[in-house]
């Protein structure tokens, strides 16, 4: 698929592969991975990205640090800033319909340490969309916002539904998931009441 020193797919005399890691392989033979490239015009600001391939082995770039094309769901001028794996960023998850989901950091105007991390995934038509982001309201928990996402998140199923574990500004943790139409729902959260049987309501203390 890739080999150190080989030219990056889609270029003739452009960047070459420096390394690849966090590869995932689906049941239908599709692959996604985090890669590092080197060459003219490549620096520490734009050398790491996520690629996937599923048609005759052709690789497509999903996201790359410093890409001037921008970040879906955020203002023009925002760029991917951390897909390097430090802190678990940029580790792709992929389903059998070739949809990729991942956690990343971004930078740009109005981006701070309180809103620079998020989760992105391909929707049902193959477009990359933002699923959740630090500082955004947490669905199902009134007045709360996301402050962190677990390093092992997200996961994505065959329907393209994305699930993740997150921490809120209240200190609570919870699990959220999207439905087949992309709408987000709260699955469970600490301190939230749960009815396990008629007349038997308990409180989640940890996830």
């Amino acid at each position: 698929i890739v080999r150190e020193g080989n030219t990056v797919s889609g270029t003739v005399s452009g960047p070459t592969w420096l390394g690849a890691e966090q590869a995932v392989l689906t049941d239908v033979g599709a692959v996604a991975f985090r890669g590092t490239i080197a060459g003219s015009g490549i620096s520490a600001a734009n050398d790491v990205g996520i690629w996937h391939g599923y048609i005759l082995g052709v690789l497509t770039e999903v996201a790359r640090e410093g890409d001037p094309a921008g970040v879906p769901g955020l203002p023009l001028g925002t760029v991917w800033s951390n897909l390097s794996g430090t802190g678990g960023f940029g580790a792709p998850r992929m389903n059998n319909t070739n949809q990729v989901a991942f956690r990343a950091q971004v930078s740009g105007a109005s981006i701070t340490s309180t809103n620079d991390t998020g989760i992105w995934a391909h929707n049902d038509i193959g477009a990359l969309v933002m699923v959740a982001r630090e500082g955004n309201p947490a669905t199902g928990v009134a007045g709360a916002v996301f402050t962190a996402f677990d390093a092992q998140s997200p996961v994505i199923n065959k329907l393209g539904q994305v699930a993740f574990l997150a921490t809120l500004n209240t200190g609570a943790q919870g699990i959220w998931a999207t439905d087949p139409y992309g709408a987000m729902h709260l699955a469970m959260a600490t301190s939230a009441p749960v009815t396990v049987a008629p007349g038997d309501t308990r409180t989640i203390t940890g996830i």
Side-chain angles (χ1 to χ4, degrees), residues 26-201:
T26 71
D27 295 338
V28 296
V31 65
F33 62 92
R34 179 173 59 224
T36 304
I37 59 177
S40 178
I42 303 300
S43 68
N46 63 2
D47 63 341
V48 178
I50 297 171
W51 283 262
H52 72 153
Y54 54 93
I55 300 176
L56 301 177
V58 176
L59 294 175
T60 302
E61 184 182 293
V62 177
R64 183 158 61 97
E65 293 176 354
D67 186 352
V71 176
L74 295 178
L76 187 64
T78 306
V79 298
W80 307 107
S81 63
N82 187 0
L83 295 168
S84 68
T86 302
F89 296 102
R93 308 288 187 262
M94 192 178 188
N95 63 14
N96 283 342
T97 54
N98 310 313
Q99 295 167 294
V100 175
F102 59 94
R103 186 174 67 106
Q105 285 185 313
V106 297
S107 62
S110 76
I111 303 295
T112 70
S113 60
T114 63
N115 63 8
D116 65 347
T117 301
I119 292 172
W120 283 262
H122 287 122
N123 63 15
D124 57 355
I125 61 172
L128 193 62
V129 298
M130 184 169 65
V131 176
R133 179 188 172 203
E134 289 177 348
N136 283 5
T139 301
V141 184
V145 298
F146 295 119
T147 57
F149 300 104
D150 183 74
Q152 300 303 312
S153 292
V155 293
I156 186 169
N157 68 10
K158 64 181 181 180
L159 298 177
Q161 296 171 272
V162 178
F164 58 90
L165 170 64
T167 301
L168 307 179
N169 60 326
T170 61
Q173 287 188 310
I175 295 175
W176 284 260
T178 60
D179 62 27
Y181 304 100
M184 189 186 300
H185 303 272
L186 172 66
M188 64 176 66
T190 54
S191 302
V194 176
T195 300
V196 296
D200 186 358
T201 299

